[in-house]
Amino acid sequence: MRDDGMAAISDRELAPQGSTPLLRTLAGDWLAADEAGYRAAWDAYLRETAIRCLLYDNTVAGERYLGWNALALDRALLARLVAATEALGRVFARAARAVQHDPATLEELGFPWAVAEMLANEPILPLLSPIGRFDFLLDETGEWRLLEYNSDTPSGVRETIGAERLLHARLPDRARFRRLGAGLATRLRRAFARLLAAAPRPVRRLGLVTDAGYAEDLAQLLFLRELLRGVGPEIVLGDVGNLIVRRGRVLLLGQEVQALYRLYPVERLYGQAVFPGLVEAALAGRLLLLNPLAALLAQDKALLAWIWEHREAAIFTPAERRAIVRHLPETYLVTRAPADLDRRAFVVKEFFGREGEEVYFGAGVSDEDWLRCQEWRTFVVQRAVVSQEVEDVIWRGDVLQRVQRVPCVGSYLADGRWGGLYVRLGERITTNQAQHVGAFVERGGGLVRRGDRRRTRNRPAR
Amino acid sequence: MAVPRPVRTHATPGRTLGARGAYRRWYAAAGPWAGFFRAVPLVAVARGVLAPRADAAETAAADQAVERLAATLADAGRAEGWLGQPEVLLLLDLPGPLGVSVAARLAPAGVRPVLLSLLWPEPAALVPAAALAAALLAHAPRRWPEGPAQYAFLLGRERDTPASAADLAARFDNRYRLGEVDLPSPARLERGGVGGVVACRDGAVPAAPDLDHYLDVLAGAGVPLRRLALGARPDSA
């Protein structure tokens, strides 16, 4: 039995059974039952999440980002998602390690020569970041399909740990559902604790750094700081401008840190004066980079193409090979795409694009743009996934509208284990206009009862 | 010249308005623009991170500045015909506590505040937030009668305070910039019934680059725009 409330998953459960499983959301029923109550609950939810979860940025461009809605999964669908997440976690870690010491391949995957050299010499641990997030769509056949892996600086922890808890607590029918992010805080603390304990030198002070000028990033880091209190070292939080390296020592707000977690894209840090000093300190073992350069490699969409190309290779175990074929859509470097590839069935993505940036449906890419992408070389083509859609409720002006939207299901991996979901409902390409909703599973057979969990608490994690 | 009479915006005497209560009031005041509302200092107070503090000497000086600025603004608004007009959006890019107080003085003219402050108060941060928090508690808007109102975004000019390398080495950098999603786009303004924008700032300090950029976007989209540098000769666009 696992320690996260999931029963052991049989091979039979891992394949879609019988009729195609459907995703469904709950807001439609809540709205139909009591529109005035629905509005009041949503307003209160925004206020409470601002204060209690540091989600004071809960609107985007004036529209509500936190939705009063939840995605409900059945047990089998969730079990397959958990299995996919953990299997792909192993796949990406293995792939990143395989490529990390191969400068020629790294350059083909979009890394400048200098960074490729740094990657090749990076310490073995940490393997990847303490937390990563796989973004999936559920396709029309009921199979989870991976869009990308956010392993460098994944967001959404406030929503999954904090907002989802408030949402669930306020539901009139909460007894029917179990929320899925309940274990993420523990998982995350454990991941940090394990990495810090394995540092080459004792970590007396942990630095958390971001661009504090961005409200969302700062709020996420403030939330993380609260989560990590008690994990061990003293925590110092600062803006990236507060970070300096002096005589080989890394100082944040004037205090030396022995470990650093950044919520700041490494590709932006690369251009800054402090970057070489940080890498030098890491290579010399004076600083533990909790999200190492390899985390960006794992996030590189070109690595998806590399994994697809090596899907039959012996580097992966048979179970991992099956997971690749089952969950990873066919993906190629744009420079290696088959000559007869019908790009109308594919999506073109930039290697390091974040939050839906530089993602184009092939049908909308002209011959000229296609050639340009091939010349630039920093794009992959990935077979488009036709996703199931679910109902959402959006608030426009003073009107509540029911709309059909695509659920992008982010699945967290922390400490090598599945940790919860971060679900956004939006358009076919998920952008910052999408709306976050909670993630629940229907209670029923197969879930661990409270007493069972108590009895298994002291067993070692799988 | 006549300044709009101050309204009693404080909580009822004898009752202390807490950060949560103030947050609710500021949120409600933002009306249809609540999607742009941000009250980060109040979040910090509610979480026990920040203790509001208004220095008495500073308060006396600030009161004079409030009187002067509110009078100047009201004069300009009346002379140019935009004060109290719901179809004109005001942007007050003044130091946080000052902007809050000025907005309170403009309330009798039908002006409702939309607070947009992302100032997080770490200990010994570059930009102090205690005075702003005190102003937000003291001037938490009371319930407004239903009906059209003129809205004023309060931006907090201190977000772009200059800092030296020595400052950055030792003090948390809590400055911030307003991005394209933080303020209403031209299309959103049109949907909100806004036909023009008046942007007011203190003429003694340079215009903030982020606001300047936003105003350029509005001007480029053909939104009628008035740039008002208070205390200096107004320039218009």
Side-chain angles (χ1 to χ4, degrees), chain A residues 21-37:
Chain A
L22 290 175
L23 290 172
R24 69 184 185 100
T25 51
L26 306 177
D29 291 346
W30 302 341
L31 178 61
D34 175 11
E35 180 171 336

Side-chain angles (χ1 to χ4, degrees), chain A residues 252-284:
Chain A
L252 183 58
L253 287 167
Q255 301 177 79
E256 183 175 6
V257 296
Q258 292 81 30
L260 190 69
Y261 180 79
R262 62 180 162 74
L263 199 68
Y264 188 78
V266 72
E267 62 268 32
R268 262 200 273 161
L269 192 63
Y270 177 62
Q272 299 190 10
V274 76
F275 182 74
L278 286 180
V279 173
E280 196 179 330
L283 296 183

Side-chain angles (χ1 to χ4, degrees), chain B residues 1-4 69-79 82-83 106:
Chain B
M1 105 107 274
V3 179
L69 279 171
T72 308
L73 197 56
D75 276 350
R78 287 200 192 89
W82 47 256
L83 185 66
L106 296 177

Side-chain angles (χ1 to χ4, degrees), chain B residues 105-128:
Chain B
R105 296 296 174 109
L106 296 177
V111 176
R112 292 177 65 164
V114 181
L115 181 66
L116 205 177
S117 175
L118 293 164
L119 190 63
W120 178 261
E122 281 288 294
L126 265 173
V127 184

